[in-house]
Amino acid sequence: EAGVAQSPRYKIIEKRQSVAFWCNPISGHATLYWYQQILGQGPKLLIQFQNNGVVDDSQLPKDRFSAERLKGVDSTLKIQPAKLEDSAVYLCASSPFTTLSGANVLTFGAGSRLTVL
Amino acid sequence: AQSVTQPDIHITVSEGASLELRCNYSYGATPYLFWYVQSPGQGLQLLLKYFSGDTLVQGIKGFEAEFKRSQSSFNLRKPSVHWSDAAEYFCAVGGRGANNLFFGTGTRLTVIP
């Protein structure tokens, strides 16, 4: 099966500019996640969708970050305006399971590396 | 509170030597435990997982891990390391359902000839 697709792979912007990342999960996967991975750290959840609804966005800096998952398939993560500390790899992951089902295994995309100058 | 500790930031081993990467977790419910590997410029690939049953789990690429509830540990092992195993390894903990995974800070593995 095709994996989780992400684009762009690399992006360099100046602070205060905006950027958008796109993710297409594995076909049929109900749950989609965006993680932020800062250099030297483990991934941290930004937002979790189940179908096209938000399950958890408690760690999303909502003053500058937004995400949507229209039609419960692909998703877009936007940052506006970007800050220097947003430099990171943004990982998208998907899972076939929903909240009521069993153990959860996430499949990750290759990530989008953002550099903010 | 949920957390994962990987006490070793960087480990260097010789090719052919054995490997053990440490992972300790804190989780308020029955934990589901994972090891992922990340090669440079790549996403995370699942090595193995523990949900229940036999506490010694086998994964891909010859890796195994042992769940020890009394020690809150889930250490990753490989009897003989290959140069291609050089990468970053992340331990993660989650729970039942489509819950978030909490990741450790990772252990970078260097393999020398």
Side-chain angles (χ1 to χ4, degrees):
Chain A
E1 64 181 358
V4 177
Q6 289 189 246
S7 68
R9 287 295 311 276
Y10 305 93
K11 189 75 175 178
I12 300 174
I13 62 173
E14 295 188 349
K15 59 183 179 182
R16 291 187 289 274
Q17 287 186 324
S18 63
V19 62
F21 302 111
W22 173 82
C23 172
N24 189 29
I26 292 173
S27 178
H29 278 198
T31 307
L32 184 149
Y33 308 76
W34 283 102
Y35 281 82
Q36 180 191 57
Q37 185 179 18
I38 293 172
L39 186 64
Q41 299 182 18
K44 288 184 172 60
L45 181 72
L46 290 175
I47 188 167
Q48 176 185 344
F49 294 93
Q50 181 175 305
N51 298 312
N52 60 349
V54 175
V55 174
D56 183 356
D57 64 355
S58 58
Q59 300 302 308
L60 188 72
K62 298 180 186 62
D63 57 334
R64 298 183 299 105
F65 286 65
S66 65
E68 61 184 9
R69 190 185 184 195
L70 300 177
K71 302 180 182 178
V73 182
D74 55 353
S75 175
T76 302
L77 175 71
K78 295 179 181 177
I79 307 174
Q80 182 180 12
K83 292 186 175 181
L84 296 178
E85 59 261 36
D86 298 332
S87 293
V89 176
Y90 291 87
L91 294 164
C92 180
S94 69
S95 163
F97 293 103
T98 62
T99 305
L100 297 179
S101 59
N104 191 26
V105 178
L106 277 63
T107 301
F108 284 83
S112 295
R113 180 178 297 275
L114 173 66
T115 302
V116 182
L117 303 176
Chain B
Q2 305 93 331
S3 67
V4 174
T5 301
Q6 294 181 248
D8 303 306
I9 296 173
H10 184 203
I11 284 182
T12 300
V13 299
S14 298
E15 190 168 14
S18 63
L19 171 71
E20 182 169 27
L21 303 182
R22 296 182 290 165
C23 172
N24 292 94
Y25 69 90
S26 173
Y27 198 73
T30 301
Y32 294 157
L33 294 156
F34 306 81
W35 276 98
Y36 282 86
V37 61
Q38 186 177 38
S39 298
Q42 301 299 313
L44 282 79
Q45 180 185 20
L46 181 68
L47 281 177
L48 48 77
K49 61 187 182 292
Y50 171 78
F51 292 156
S52 64
D54 192 348
T55 56
L56 183 64
V57 294
Q58 303 297 319
I60 62 172
K61 305 184 180 185
F63 285 92
E64 66 177 26
E66 186 172 12
F67 171 58
K68 293 185 177 180
R69 185 184 299 276
S70 61
Q71 298 178 20
S72 297
S73 69
F74 189 57
N75 294 348
L76 181 72
R77 300 194 293 252
K78 186 170 185 178
S80 178
V81 171
H82 188 262
W83 64 266
S84 60
D85 294 325
E88 188 99 18
Y89 291 80
F90 291 94
C91 181
V93 66
R96 182 174 180 81
N99 293 321
N100 179 24
L101 289 187
F102 296 89
F103 285 84
T105 51
T107 297
R108 183 160 61 94
L109 174 66
T110 298
V111 180
I112 56 177

PDB file of all heavy atoms in Angstrom, chain A residues 50-83:
ATOM      1  N   GLN A  50      -9.780  12.837  13.814  1.00  0.00           N
ATOM      2  CA  GLN A  50     -10.450  11.573  13.548  1.00  0.00           C
ATOM      3  C   GLN A  50     -11.501  11.867  12.485  1.00  0.00           C
ATOM      4  O   GLN A  50     -12.426  12.635  12.746  1.00  0.00           O
ATOM      5  CB  GLN A  50     -11.081  10.995  14.798  1.00  0.00           C
ATOM      6  CG  GLN A  50     -11.773   9.662  14.554  1.00  0.00           C
ATOM      7  CD  GLN A  50     -12.277   9.052  15.844  1.00  0.00           C
ATOM      8  OE1 GLN A  50     -11.511   8.863  16.794  1.00  0.00           O
ATOM      9  NE2 GLN A  50     -13.577   8.778  15.909  1.00  0.00           N
ATOM     10  N   ASN A  51     -11.298  11.250  11.318  1.00  0.00           N
ATOM     11  CA  ASN A  51     -12.074  11.637  10.129  1.00  0.00           C
ATOM     12  C   ASN A  51     -11.851  13.133   9.913  1.00  0.00           C
ATOM     13  O   ASN A  51     -10.711  13.561   9.812  1.00  0.00           O
ATOM     14  CB  ASN A  51     -13.513  11.206  10.272  1.00  0.00           C
ATOM     15  CG  ASN A  51     -13.618   9.689  10.387  1.00  0.00           C
ATOM     16  OD1 ASN A  51     -13.015   8.958   9.605  1.00  0.00           O
ATOM     17  ND2 ASN A  51     -14.342   9.213  11.381  1.00  0.00           N
ATOM     18  N   ASN A  52     -12.879  13.964   9.890  1.00  0.00           N
ATOM     19  CA  ASN A  52     -12.609  15.384   9.666  1.00  0.00           C
ATOM     20  C   ASN A  52     -12.829  16.218  10.921  1.00  0.00           C
ATOM     21  O   ASN A  52     -12.888  17.446  10.860  1.00  0.00           O
ATOM     22  CB  ASN A  52     -13.437  15.922   8.501  1.00  0.00           C
ATOM     23  CG  ASN A  52     -14.923  15.781   8.766  1.00  0.00           C
ATOM     24  OD1 ASN A  52     -15.328  15.111   9.703  1.00  0.00           O
ATOM     25  ND2 ASN A  52     -15.732  16.421   7.950  1.00  0.00           N
ATOM     26  N   GLY A  53     -12.910  15.554  12.076  1.00  0.00           N
ATOM     27  CA  GLY A  53     -13.068  16.265  13.335  1.00  0.00           C
ATOM     28  C   GLY A  53     -11.793  16.267  14.150  1.00  0.00           C
ATOM     29  O   GLY A  53     -10.988  15.348  14.060  1.00  0.00           O
ATOM     30  N   VAL A  54     -11.601  17.316  14.955  1.00  0.00           N
ATOM     31  CA  VAL A  54     -10.421  17.445  15.799  1.00  0.00           C
ATOM     32  C   VAL A  54     -10.621  16.670  17.099  1.00  0.00           C
ATOM     33  O   VAL A  54     -11.607  16.860  17.799  1.00  0.00           O
ATOM     34  CB  VAL A  54     -10.136  18.923  16.109  1.00  0.00           C
ATOM     35  CG1 VAL A  54      -8.969  19.039  17.093  1.00  0.00           C
ATOM     36  CG2 VAL A  54      -9.836  19.690  14.836  1.00  0.00           C
ATOM     37  N   VAL A  55      -9.664  15.772  17.408  1.00  0.00           N
ATOM     38  CA  VAL A  55      -9.694  15.017  18.661  1.00  0.00           C
ATOM     39  C   VAL A  55      -8.898  15.726  19.747  1.00  0.00           C
ATOM     40  O   VAL A  55      -9.313  15.811  20.897  1.00  0.00           O
ATOM     41  CB  VAL A  55      -9.137  13.593  18.447  1.00  0.00           C
ATOM     42  CG1 VAL A  55      -9.028  12.848  19.781  1.00  0.00           C
ATOM     43  CG2 VAL A  55      -9.998  12.817  17.463  1.00  0.00           C
ATOM     44  N   ASP A  56      -7.725  16.248  19.350  1.00  0.00           N
ATOM     45  CA  ASP A  56      -6.839  16.883  20.330  1.00  0.00           C
ATOM     46  C   ASP A  56      -6.024  17.952  19.626  1.00  0.00           C
ATOM     47  O   ASP A  56      -5.290  17.647  18.693  1.00  0.00           O
ATOM     48  CB  ASP A  56      -5.918  15.832  20.960  1.00  0.00           C
ATOM     49  CG  ASP A  56      -5.017  16.392  22.048  1.00  0.00           C
ATOM     50  OD1 ASP A  56      -5.030  17.618  22.281  1.00  0.00           O
ATOM     51  OD2 ASP A  56      -4.281  15.598  22.671  1.00  0.00           O
ATOM     52  N   ASP A  57      -6.180  19.193  20.045  1.00  0.00           N
ATOM     53  CA  ASP A  57      -5.341  20.273  19.530  1.00  0.00           C
ATOM     54  C   ASP A  57      -4.809  21.113  20.675  1.00  0.00           C
ATOM     55  O   ASP A  57      -4.508  22.305  20.510  1.00  0.00           O
ATOM     56  CB  ASP A  57      -6.082  21.136  18.509  1.00  0.00           C
ATOM     57  CG  ASP A  57      -7.270  21.877  19.113  1.00  0.00           C
ATOM     58  OD1 ASP A  57      -7.583  21.645  20.301  1.00  0.00           O
ATOM     59  OD2 ASP A  57      -7.890  22.684  18.388  1.00  0.00           O
ATOM     60  N   SER A  58      -4.687  20.494  21.834  1.00  0.00           N
ATOM     61  CA  SER A  58      -4.289  21.221  23.038  1.00  0.00           C
ATOM     62  C   SER A  58      -2.867  21.771  22.954  1.00  0.00           C
ATOM     63  O   SER A  58      -2.530  22.725  23.647  1.00  0.00           O
ATOM     64  CB  SER A  58      -4.418  20.316  24.264  1.00  0.00           C
ATOM     65  OG  SER A  58      -3.632  19.148  24.116  1.00  0.00           O
ATOM     66  N   GLN A  59      -2.009  21.185  22.158  1.00  0.00           N
ATOM     67  CA  GLN A  59      -0.625  21.639  22.048  1.00  0.00           C
ATOM     68  C   GLN A  59      -0.382  22.477  20.793  1.00  0.00           C
ATOM     69  O   GLN A  59       0.777  22.824  20.517  1.00  0.00           O
ATOM     70  CB  GLN A  59       0.323  20.428  22.043  1.00  0.00           C
ATOM     71  CG  GLN A  59       0.235  19.571  23.299  1.00  0.00           C
ATOM     72  CD  GLN A  59       0.517  20.372  24.551  1.00  0.00           C
ATOM     73  OE1 GLN A  59       1.524  21.064  24.650  1.00  0.00           O
ATOM     74  NE2 GLN A  59      -0.384  20.291  25.511  1.00  0.00           N
ATOM     75  N   LEU A  60      -1.399  22.793  20.079  1.00  0.00           N
ATOM     76  CA  LEU A  60      -1.252  23.599  18.859  1.00  0.00           C
ATOM     77  C   LEU A  60      -1.251  25.083  19.226  1.00  0.00           C
ATOM     78  O   LEU A  60      -2.208  25.574  19.844  1.00  0.00           O
ATOM     79  CB  LEU A  60      -2.419  23.305  17.909  1.00  0.00           C
ATOM     80  CG  LEU A  60      -2.330  23.910  16.507  1.00  0.00           C
ATOM     81  CD1 LEU A  60      -1.285  23.188  15.684  1.00  0.00           C
ATOM     82  CD2 LEU A  60      -3.695  23.871  15.831  1.00  0.00           C
ATOM     83  N   PRO A  61      -0.198  25.808  18.861  1.00  0.00           N
ATOM     84  CA  PRO A  61      -0.178  27.272  19.125  1.00  0.00           C
ATOM     85  C   PRO A  61      -1.154  27.982  18.190  1.00  0.00           C
ATOM     86  O   PRO A  61      -0.812  28.392  17.091  1.00  0.00           O
ATOM     87  CB  PRO A  61       1.278  27.654  18.838  1.00  0.00           C
ATOM     88  CG  PRO A  61       2.035  26.370  18.764  1.00  0.00           C
ATOM     89  CD  PRO A  61       1.067  25.336  18.282  1.00  0.00           C
ATOM     90  N   LYS A  62      -2.353  28.143  18.674  1.00  0.00           N
ATOM     91  CA  LYS A  62      -3.448  28.545  17.787  1.00  0.00           C
ATOM     92  C   LYS A  62      -3.351  29.991  17.312  1.00  0.00           C
ATOM     93  O   LYS A  62      -4.054  30.394  16.386  1.00  0.00           O
ATOM     94  CB  LYS A  62      -4.786  28.302  18.482  1.00  0.00           C
ATOM     95  CG  LYS A  62      -5.049  26.841  18.818  1.00  0.00           C
ATOM     96  CD  LYS A  62      -6.380  26.657  19.489  1.00  0.00           C
ATOM     97  CE  LYS A  62      -6.582  25.226  19.942  1.00  0.00           C
ATOM     98  NZ  LYS A  62      -5.585  24.795  20.947  1.00  0.00           N
ATOM     99  N   ASP A  63      -2.463  30.772  17.943  1.00  0.00           N
ATOM    100  CA  ASP A  63      -2.319  32.144  17.467  1.00  0.00           C
ATOM    101  C   ASP A  63      -1.579  32.196  16.130  1.00  0.00           C
ATOM    102  O   ASP A  63      -1.677  33.188  15.400  1.00  0.00           O
ATOM    103  CB  ASP A  63      -1.572  32.987  18.513  1.00  0.00           C
ATOM    104  CG  ASP A  63      -0.207  32.415  18.850  1.00  0.00           C
ATOM    105  OD1 ASP A  63      -0.011  31.194  18.698  1.00  0.00           O
ATOM    106  OD2 ASP A  63       0.666  33.196  19.279  1.00  0.00           O
ATOM    107  N   ARG A  64      -0.878  31.105  15.798  1.00  0.00           N
ATOM    108  CA  ARG A  64      -0.109  31.135  14.557  1.00  0.00           C
ATOM    109  C   ARG A  64      -0.254  29.873  13.719  1.00  0.00           C
ATOM    110  O   ARG A  64       0.033  29.881  12.529  1.00  0.00           O
ATOM    111  CB  ARG A  64       1.377  31.354  14.861  1.00  0.00           C
ATOM    112  CG  ARG A  64       1.671  32.665  15.548  1.00  0.00           C
ATOM    113  CD  ARG A  64       3.144  32.890  15.784  1.00  0.00           C
ATOM    114  NE  ARG A  64       3.723  31.846  16.640  1.00  0.00           N
ATOM    115  CZ  ARG A  64       4.494  30.881  16.195  1.00  0.00           C
ATOM    116  NH1 ARG A  64       4.771  30.783  14.910  1.00  0.00           N
ATOM    117  NH2 ARG A  64       5.009  29.995  17.034  1.00  0.00           N
ATOM    118  N   PHE A  65      -0.661  28.785  14.343  1.00  0.00           N
ATOM    119  CA  PHE A  65      -0.805  27.508  13.644  1.00  0.00           C
ATOM    120  C   PHE A  65      -2.287  27.221  13.415  1.00  0.00           C
ATOM    121  O   PHE A  65      -3.125  27.477  14.285  1.00  0.00           O
ATOM    122  CB  PHE A  65      -0.222  26.362  14.465  1.00  0.00           C
ATOM    123  CG  PHE A  65       1.284  26.294  14.508  1.00  0.00           C
ATOM    124  CD1 PHE A  65       2.021  27.298  15.112  1.00  0.00           C
ATOM    125  CD2 PHE A  65       1.953  25.229  13.946  1.00  0.00           C
ATOM    126  CE1 PHE A  65       3.409  27.233  15.159  1.00  0.00           C
ATOM    127  CE2 PHE A  65       3.337  25.142  13.988  1.00  0.00           C
ATOM    128  CZ  PHE A  65       4.061  26.157  14.600  1.00  0.00           C
ATOM    129  N   SER A  66      -2.571  26.658  12.246  1.00  0.00           N
ATOM    130  CA  SER A  66      -3.921  26.164  11.966  1.00  0.00           C
ATOM    131  C   SER A  66      -3.815  24.892  11.137  1.00  0.00           C
ATOM    132  O   SER A  66      -2.821  24.671  10.429  1.00  0.00           O
ATOM    133  CB  SER A  66      -4.752  27.212  11.231  1.00  0.00           C
ATOM    134  OG  SER A  66      -4.194  27.467   9.952  1.00  0.00           O
ATOM    135  N   ALA A  67      -4.813  24.054  11.245  1.00  0.00           N
ATOM    136  CA  ALA A  67      -4.816  22.813  10.476  1.00  0.00           C
ATOM    137  C   ALA A  67      -6.249  22.451  10.139  1.00  0.00           C
ATOM    138  O   ALA A  67      -7.179  22.765  10.892  1.00  0.00           O
ATOM    139  CB  ALA A  67      -4.150  21.679  11.269  1.00  0.00           C
ATOM    140  N   GLU A  68      -6.397  21.807   9.017  1.00  0.00           N
ATOM    141  CA  GLU A  68      -7.708  21.337   8.622  1.00  0.00           C
ATOM    142  C   GLU A  68      -7.586  20.000   7.914  1.00  0.00           C
ATOM    143  O   GLU A  68      -6.543  19.673   7.352  1.00  0.00           O
ATOM    144  CB  GLU A  68      -8.418  22.359   7.741  1.00  0.00           C
ATOM    145  CG  GLU A  68      -7.698  22.681   6.448  1.00  0.00           C
ATOM    146  CD  GLU A  68      -8.403  23.765   5.652  1.00  0.00           C
ATOM    147  OE1 GLU A  68      -9.347  24.384   6.162  1.00  0.00           O
ATOM    148  OE2 GLU A  68      -8.005  23.968   4.484  1.00  0.00           O
ATOM    149  N   ARG A  69      -8.665  19.265   7.966  1.00  0.00           N
ATOM    150  CA  ARG A  69      -8.724  17.984   7.282  1.00  0.00           C
ATOM    151  C   ARG A  69     -10.112  17.892   6.639  1.00  0.00           C
ATOM    152  O   ARG A  69     -11.023  17.273   7.163  1.00  0.00           O
ATOM    153  CB  ARG A  69      -8.506  16.816   8.241  1.00  0.00           C
ATOM    154  CG  ARG A  69      -8.322  15.490   7.505  1.00  0.00           C
ATOM    155  CD  ARG A  69      -8.222  14.317   8.446  1.00  0.00           C
ATOM    156  NE  ARG A  69      -7.961  13.082   7.702  1.00  0.00           N
ATOM    157  CZ  ARG A  69      -8.101  11.859   8.198  1.00  0.00           C
ATOM    158  NH1 ARG A  69      -8.513  11.698   9.454  1.00  0.00           N
ATOM    159  NH2 ARG A  69      -7.841  10.806   7.455  1.00  0.00           N
ATOM    160  N   LEU A  70     -10.223  18.530   5.510  1.00  0.00           N
ATOM    161  CA  LEU A  70     -11.486  18.569   4.815  1.00  0.00           C
ATOM    162  C   LEU A  70     -11.810  17.193   4.240  1.00  0.00           C
ATOM    163  O   LEU A  70     -10.920  16.481   3.773  1.00  0.00           O
ATOM    164  CB  LEU A  70     -11.435  19.618   3.701  1.00  0.00           C
ATOM    165  CG  LEU A  70     -11.160  21.062   4.172  1.00  0.00           C
ATOM    166  CD1 LEU A  70     -11.059  21.992   2.989  1.00  0.00           C
ATOM    167  CD2 LEU A  70     -12.236  21.510   5.144  1.00  0.00           C
ATOM    168  N   LYS A  71     -13.058  16.814   4.310  1.00  0.00           N
ATOM    169  CA  LYS A  71     -13.548  15.553   3.754  1.00  0.00           C
ATOM    170  C   LYS A  71     -12.906  14.329   4.401  1.00  0.00           C
ATOM    171  O   LYS A  71     -13.000  13.222   3.869  1.00  0.00           O
ATOM    172  CB  LYS A  71     -13.351  15.497   2.228  1.00  0.00           C
ATOM    173  CG  LYS A  71     -14.044  16.635   1.482  1.00  0.00           C
ATOM    174  CD  LYS A  71     -13.821  16.548  -0.017  1.00  0.00           C
ATOM    175  CE  LYS A  71     -14.481  17.724  -0.728  1.00  0.00           C
ATOM    176  NZ  LYS A  71     -14.250  17.694  -2.197  1.00  0.00           N
ATOM    177  N   GLY A  72     -12.210  14.526   5.514  1.00  0.00           N
ATOM    178  CA  GLY A  72     -11.660  13.397   6.247  1.00  0.00           C
ATOM    179  C   GLY A  72     -10.559  12.643   5.540  1.00  0.00           C
ATOM    180  O   GLY A  72     -10.287  11.483   5.878  1.00  0.00           O
ATOM    181  N   VAL A  73      -9.902  13.284   4.580  1.00  0.00           N
ATOM    182  CA  VAL A  73      -8.820  12.595   3.863  1.00  0.00           C
ATOM    183  C   VAL A  73      -7.528  13.363   4.090  1.00  0.00           C
ATOM    184  O   VAL A  73      -6.919  13.238   5.154  1.00  0.00           O
ATOM    185  CB  VAL A  73      -9.152  12.439   2.371  1.00  0.00           C
ATOM    186  CG1 VAL A  73      -8.043  11.674   1.653  1.00  0.00           C
ATOM    187  CG2 VAL A  73     -10.481  11.718   2.201  1.00  0.00           C
ATOM    188  N   ASP A  74      -7.100  14.169   3.109  1.00  0.00           N
ATOM    189  CA  ASP A  74      -5.823  14.844   3.275  1.00  0.00           C
ATOM    190  C   ASP A  74      -5.965  16.050   4.204  1.00  0.00           C
ATOM    191  O   ASP A  74      -7.082  16.489   4.520  1.00  0.00           O
ATOM    192  CB  ASP A  74      -5.213  15.222   1.937  1.00  0.00           C
ATOM    193  CG  ASP A  74      -6.139  16.045   1.078  1.00  0.00           C
ATOM    194  OD1 ASP A  74      -7.312  16.208   1.466  1.00  0.00           O
ATOM    195  OD2 ASP A  74      -5.691  16.530   0.031  1.00  0.00           O
ATOM    196  N   SER A  75      -4.811  16.567   4.611  1.00  0.00           N
ATOM    197  CA  SER A  75      -4.794  17.622   5.621  1.00  0.00           C
ATOM    198  C   SER A  75      -3.744  18.663   5.273  1.00  0.00           C
ATOM    199  O   SER A  75      -2.753  18.373   4.602  1.00  0.00           O
ATOM    200  CB  SER A  75      -4.478  17.011   6.989  1.00  0.00           C
ATOM    201  OG  SER A  75      -4.344  18.013   7.980  1.00  0.00           O
ATOM    202  N   THR A  76      -3.981  19.880   5.750  1.00  0.00           N
ATOM    203  CA  THR A  76      -3.037  20.977   5.573  1.00  0.00           C
ATOM    204  C   THR A  76      -2.729  21.589   6.924  1.00  0.00           C
ATOM    205  O   THR A  76      -3.649  21.839   7.718  1.00  0.00           O
ATOM    206  CB  THR A  76      -3.607  22.047   4.640  1.00  0.00           C
ATOM    207  OG1 THR A  76      -3.920  21.453   3.373  1.00  0.00           O
ATOM    208  CG2 THR A  76      -2.583  23.153   4.417  1.00  0.00           C
ATOM    209  N   LEU A  77      -1.457  21.826   7.183  1.00  0.00           N
ATOM    210  CA  LEU A  77      -0.997  22.521   8.380  1.00  0.00           C
ATOM    211  C   LEU A  77      -0.400  23.850   7.938  1.00  0.00           C
ATOM    212  O   LEU A  77       0.462  23.876   7.055  1.00  0.00           O
ATOM    213  CB  LEU A  77       0.056  21.696   9.113  1.00  0.00           C
ATOM    214  CG  LEU A  77       0.715  22.340  10.330  1.00  0.00           C
ATOM    215  CD1 LEU A  77      -0.278  22.438  11.491  1.00  0.00           C
ATOM    216  CD2 LEU A  77       1.944  21.541  10.778  1.00  0.00           C
ATOM    217  N   LYS A  78      -0.868  24.938   8.537  1.00  0.00           N
ATOM    218  CA  LYS A  78      -0.385  26.257   8.151  1.00  0.00           C
ATOM    219  C   LYS A  78       0.238  26.970   9.344  1.00  0.00           C
ATOM    220  O   LYS A  78      -0.239  26.836  10.487  1.00  0.00           O
ATOM    221  CB  LYS A  78      -1.531  27.102   7.596  1.00  0.00           C
ATOM    222  CG  LYS A  78      -2.126  26.566   6.311  1.00  0.00           C
ATOM    223  CD  LYS A  78      -3.280  27.439   5.825  1.00  0.00           C
ATOM    224  CE  LYS A  78      -3.895  26.873   4.549  1.00  0.00           C
ATOM    225  NZ  LYS A  78      -5.061  27.662   4.097  1.00  0.00           N
ATOM    226  N   ILE A  79       1.282  27.738   9.067  1.00  0.00           N
ATOM    227  CA  ILE A  79       1.919  28.569  10.079  1.00  0.00           C
ATOM    228  C   ILE A  79       1.948  29.999   9.542  1.00  0.00           C
ATOM    229  O   ILE A  79       2.445  30.254   8.452  1.00  0.00           O
ATOM    230  CB  ILE A  79       3.365  28.116  10.382  1.00  0.00           C
ATOM    231  CG1 ILE A  79       3.403  26.627  10.717  1.00  0.00           C
ATOM    232  CG2 ILE A  79       3.924  28.920  11.547  1.00  0.00           C
ATOM    233  CD1 ILE A  79       4.816  26.081  10.879  1.00  0.00           C
ATOM    234  N   GLN A  80       1.351  30.926  10.333  1.00  0.00           N
ATOM    235  CA  GLN A  80       1.324  32.321   9.916  1.00  0.00           C
ATOM    236  C   GLN A  80       1.104  33.228  11.109  1.00  0.00           C
ATOM    237  O   GLN A  80       0.046  33.111  11.761  1.00  0.00           O
ATOM    238  CB  GLN A  80       0.223  32.546   8.877  1.00  0.00           C
ATOM    239  CG  GLN A  80       0.160  33.973   8.343  1.00  0.00           C
ATOM    240  CD  GLN A  80      -0.938  34.173   7.321  1.00  0.00           C
ATOM    241  OE1 GLN A  80      -1.822  33.332   7.140  1.00  0.00           O
ATOM    242  NE2 GLN A  80      -0.896  35.300   6.637  1.00  0.00           N
ATOM    243  N   PRO A  81       2.043  34.093  11.457  1.00  0.00           N
ATOM    244  CA  PRO A  81       3.365  34.252  10.874  1.00  0.00           C
ATOM    245  C   PRO A  81       4.371  33.309  11.528  1.00  0.00           C
ATOM    246  O   PRO A  81       4.233  32.970  12.713  1.00  0.00           O
ATOM    247  CB  PRO A  81       3.706  35.695  11.207  1.00  0.00           C
ATOM    248  CG  PRO A  81       3.029  35.912  12.533  1.00  0.00           C
ATOM    249  CD  PRO A  81       1.772  35.086  12.500  1.00  0.00           C
ATOM    250  N   ALA A  82       5.379  32.906  10.791  1.00  0.00           N
ATOM    251  CA  ALA A  82       6.372  31.984  11.338  1.00  0.00           C
ATOM    252  C   ALA A  82       7.360  32.715  12.240  1.00  0.00           C
ATOM    253  O   ALA A  82       7.684  33.893  12.028  1.00  0.00           O
ATOM    254  CB  ALA A  82       7.126  31.296  10.207  1.00  0.00           C
ATOM    255  N   LYS A  83       7.830  31.989  13.255  1.00  0.00           N
ATOM    256  CA  LYS A  83       8.868  32.481  14.147  1.00  0.00           C
ATOM    257  C   LYS A  83      10.108  31.596  14.000  1.00  0.00           C
ATOM    258  O   LYS A  83      10.028  30.459  13.511  1.00  0.00           O
ATOM    259  CB  LYS A  83       8.387  32.458  15.597  1.00  0.00           C
ATOM    260  CG  LYS A  83       7.286  33.438  15.916  1.00  0.00           C
ATOM    261  CD  LYS A  83       6.989  33.416  17.411  1.00  0.00           C
ATOM    262  CE  LYS A  83       5.984  34.478  17.792  1.00  0.00           C
ATOM    263  NZ  LYS A  83       5.705  34.490  19.249  1.00  0.00           N
TER     264      LYS A  83
END
